Amino acid sequence: MTAPRRSAPTATDGSAHRAAADHRGAGPLRSSGVFIRRSLLHSLRDGEGLIMAIALPVLLMLVFTLIFGGAIKPQGYIDFVVPGVILVCAGFGASSVAVAVNRDFTLGAMRRFRTMPVSVPTVLVGHIVASLIRNLLATAIVIGAAFALGFRPSAGLAGWGAALGLVALWILAITALFAFVGMIASSPEAANGYGFALLFLPYLSSAFVPVDTMPVWLRGFAEHQPVGPLVDTIRWALTGAGAPHGLAALAWCLGIIAVSAVLIAWRFPRSADR
């Protein structure tokens, strides 16, 4: 008697194996990659929003440097104002995350994600990481426009690294905060309104005018709110002007990230599709 021949694997066997693997679900790393890609694709499809996130800070810089700059600081105002415009750019771009997260909760997307074999909280990871990528790209474009207008920083490699590191950390901080705002807002319009209120912080700081020109009662707030030490440190890293407040800037960014993470972890299991 001859030994029975072992049958070769068939396409059906392979499909069953893949189906079993898919049934086990995607791990946090894989599902994070999927949701990052999803958020980036949504950004590319929202051409108008992407253009505005870049065009508005550039237009703002043009207004301040070409129209108001001569009255505020006749010489070298471009070097003074660019760090503030960069932070405005970051804040405006990150604010869209509040609307995107709220739409996931209010328009049924989260209901579908909860039925899939994925790590559902990584939906927020996708929004936050995609925001970081988008806003760093927008920051590069704004800096390029600033060079075209005469921005000439004296920073070396270490200065640029410190400045961009702080910008990236600030983007992560406010994006995490906007993600929480999107979770608790009742509608996309409400999420957009709450986010818009946070965008006023750079205007109440040393981003556009020296703090010592402000009224005494406003000066204390301008010096001790998150954007104040951050913009001063970025300006010092790029141009050497002013005084750095690196520890305060790091403390604000890390504190906002920590508080936002705790709030998201508390709220997410209690959030339901609305």
Side-chain angles (χ1 to χ4, degrees):
M1 293 179 62
T2 58
R5 296 170 59 186
R6 189 175 179 179
S7 60
T10 62
T12 304
D13 296 331
S15 299
H17 178 74
R18 288 193 298 271
D22 291 341
H23 182 71
R24 291 194 295 268
L29 187 61
R30 182 182 175 190
S31 58
S32 294
V34 170
F35 287 121
I36 291 170
R37 182 174 180 271
R38 169 182 178 261
S39 295
L40 290 175
L41 288 175
H42 283 181
S43 299
L44 292 176
R45 290 168 184 167
D46 184 16
E48 294 179 354
L50 189 62
I51 291 173
M52 283 301 299
I54 298 171
L56 185 62
V58 172
L59 291 174
L60 185 67
M61 184 163 54
L62 289 172
V63 168
F64 272 93
T65 55
L66 300 181
I67 300 176
F68 300 145
I72 297 174
K73 190 177 181 182
Q75 298 295 327
Y77 184 67
I78 182 81
D79 293 335
F80 180 88
V81 79
V82 166
V85 174
I86 290 174
L87 295 183
V88 170
C89 173
F92 186 81
S95 67
S96 63
V97 171
V99 177
V101 169
N102 187 267
R103 284 174 177 167
D104 280 347
F105 279 92
T106 57
L107 300 182
M110 290 301 299
R111 187 180 299 112
R112 294 180 59 192
F113 295 148
R114 293 182 197 277
T115 65
M116 297 178 180
V118 297
S119 178
V120 180
T122 55
V123 174
L124 299 180
V125 174
H127 283 299
I128 292 171
V129 176
S131 172
L132 176 62
I133 296 171
R134 287 193 308 265
N135 283 294
L136 286 178
L137 176 61
T139 298
I141 293 174
V142 168
I143 292 175
F147 271 101
L149 290 171
F151 180 52
R152 295 297 180 265
S154 58
L157 186 61
W160 277 104
L164 293 178
L166 282 175
V167 170
L169 196 61
W170 175 246
I171 292 171
L172 286 176
I174 57 174
T175 302
L177 182 59
F178 280 127
F180 174 71
V181 169
M183 291 174 60
I184 63 174
S186 59
S187 67
E189 292 76 16
N192 187 50
Y194 296 146
F196 187 76
L198 294 174
L199 298 181
F200 276 96
L201 283 178
Y203 300 98
L204 302 176
S205 72
S206 58
F208 298 103
V209 296
V211 174
D212 55 13
T213 64
M214 299 179 181
V216 175
W217 61 269
L218 183 59
R219 191 180 307 168
F221 175 79
E223 291 175 341
H224 297 96
Q225 55 116 329
V227 177
L230 191 67
V231 72
D232 288 342
T233 305
I234 294 173
R235 183 180 292 123
W236 176 84
L238 292 179
T239 67
H245 303 284
L247 290 179
L250 284 174
W252 273 113
C253 291
L254 295 177
I256 293 172
I257 291 173
V259 170
S260 300
V262 170
L263 291 174
I264 289 172
W266 164 76
R267 180 67 180 179
F268 192 88
R270 297 167 175 78
S271 298
D273 295 336
R274 300 186 287 276

